[in-house]
Amino acid sequence: MTQDSFIATLLDQRLDSTLALLEAVRADESLLESTLAAATRTAEAIERGGTLFICGNGGSAGEATHLSGELIGPFLNKTRRPLPAIALGFDTSAASAVANDFSFDEVFARQIDALARPGDVLWALSTSGRSPNVVRALDTAAERGLLTVLLTGAAHDDLPASAQIRLAVPSRETPRIQEVHLMLGHFLCEVVEFMAAGSE
């Protein structure tokens, strides 16, 4: 097999695996119900004056900033007001101070403790569902009266109890999970935009 044919075959395999995963997502009634609940409850919280916080590590951190940007900037509705969404961990002075003086496990939790109020929302992204700093963020958010949503991969027995809504993508492959997280995140943003700013 030549290099070109190998790469072409690899692309076919990736497309096939993505299509298969999307079909699995479509067939997962629990995931679909949880996605609808996360979307509507987030929108309702923002309508009541709440703020959305989003966190994750690595690629999931990139998705956190992507999704917050969709709500602050225009997503589909180019004329609506900006919606309050904050990606945690991107204040480098605060994040590095917390990591240095306390622990990297606290970088999101301490920001939630400082900024969040009861009635706000946390979307936490972790493909494993067990990243210590994401778990601490969920715990702190739950303690402070936030709605907590965990976007993760194939469900594990030890997912944090503090995640009230769990969007568990039925895969254990990090890239595939992150691809579906972005798709689901875009859907969440679309519903939030429609409900919280649709009347405009």
Side-chain angles (χ1 to χ4, degrees):
M1 180 181 290
T2 67
Q3 178 172 291
D4 287 348
S5 61
F6 168 77
I7 292 172
T9 299
L10 181 62
L11 176 58
D12 283 340
Q13 291 172 346
R14 292 294 172 263
L15 291 170
D16 287 343
S17 64
T18 297
L19 288 170
L21 178 55
L22 290 176
E23 287 300 329
V25 169
R26 181 190 288 275
D28 190 331
E29 293 184 10
S30 176
L31 173 56
L32 298 181
E33 289 173 5
S34 295
T35 301
L36 294 174
T40 56
R41 290 185 64 187
T42 299
E44 289 164 356
I46 290 177
E47 285 182 295
R48 293 191 297 266
T51 297
L52 170 64
F53 297 91
I54 315 175
C55 69
N57 293 298
S60 295
E63 292 192 347
T65 59
H66 182 127
L67 296 173
S68 67
E70 301 289 24
L71 293 175
I72 293 171
F75 181 49
L76 298 178
N77 180 347
K78 308 300 184 186
T79 62
R80 52 92 172 160
R81 67 181 175 90
L83 299 172
I86 298 172
L88 297 172
F90 290 88
D91 178 337
T92 54
S93 294
S96 60
V98 171
N100 183 66
D101 295 340
F102 297 95
S103 164
F104 189 69
D105 294 353
E106 300 295 325
V107 291
F108 303 137
R110 194 154 177 95
Q111 286 183 293
I112 290 169
D113 213 17
L115 301 172
R117 300 168 299 169
D120 289 341
V121 181
L122 172 66
W123 292 352
L125 288 79
S126 171
T127 57
S128 71
R130 294 175 291 208
S131 301
N133 56 359
V134 171
V135 173
R136 283 287 301 123
L138 287 163
D139 291 345
T140 300
E143 290 165 5
R144 290 188 62 80
L146 278 69
L147 170 67
T148 54
V149 179
L150 172 63
L151 287 80
T152 187
H156 302 280
D157 293 336
D158 57 347
L159 288 176
S162 52
Q164 296 166 278
I165 300 176
R166 301 174 185 183
L167 309 187
V169 175
S171 174
R172 296 186 187 278
E173 292 185 61
T174 295
R176 306 291 84 79
I177 295 167
Q178 290 176 334
E179 289 160 7
V180 177
H181 281 177
L182 185 57
M183 182 198 70
L184 294 176
H186 276 160
F187 175 77
L188 298 178
C189 288
E190 185 171 356
V191 173
V192 169
E193 182 178 71
F194 173 76
M195 289 181 62
S199 60
E200 301 170 22

